[in-house]
Amino acid sequence: MQTKIIVQNLKCGGCANTISKNLISLNGISDINVDAEESSEEFTYAEESSLFTVEEKLKQLGYPVLGNANTYLNKAKSFISCATGKMNQ
């Protein structure tokens, strides 16, 4: 199954790089396409439980799904994730 979700704090290619690298490591997730301009990502998943796993991973990185709380801690995490993504491009 394929889905598209909107995430918060996704601003640039560094953010997109971090998200892509972290999601590809999850079991059952493939065909990841992160679009920084739309703050969105599309991916294919094998099981319904994979959606929850993706949302949790995004929250850990500082990119909560639109509609979820976007705390100062999430924003701080996203800055670190962004910088890491820029260094690893």
Side-chain angles (χ1 to χ4, degrees):
M1 297 173 274
Q2 188 168 16
T3 192
K4 180 177 183 177
I5 58 175
I6 307 297
V7 296
Q8 301 176 78
N9 305 327
L10 174 54
K11 305 286 186 222
C12 68
C15 298
N17 188 35
T18 295
I19 290 171
S20 294
K21 285 185 176 185
N22 278 273
L23 294 188
I24 198 69
S25 68
L26 299 175
N27 289 332
I29 304 298
S30 61
D31 303 322
I32 300 165
N33 181 25
V34 181
D35 187 338
E37 289 182 26
E38 292 185 10
S39 295
S40 69
E41 59 185 72
E42 289 183 72
F43 56 91
T44 302
Y45 60 99
E47 298 177 16
E48 201 67 32
S49 63
S50 298
L51 289 175
F52 177 76
T53 303
V54 167
E55 287 186 18
E56 284 300 306
K57 177 55 89 174
L58 290 170
K59 184 179 175 185
Q60 288 173 357
L61 295 169
Y63 304 102
V65 174
L66 187 65
N68 291 344
N70 190 14
T71 64
Y72 288 115
L73 181 58
N74 285 334
K75 292 175 185 179
K77 287 179 183 179
S78 73
F79 284 118
I80 294 167
S81 293
C82 176
T84 301
K86 286 180 180 178
M87 289 187 291
N88 293 326
Q89 283 183 329

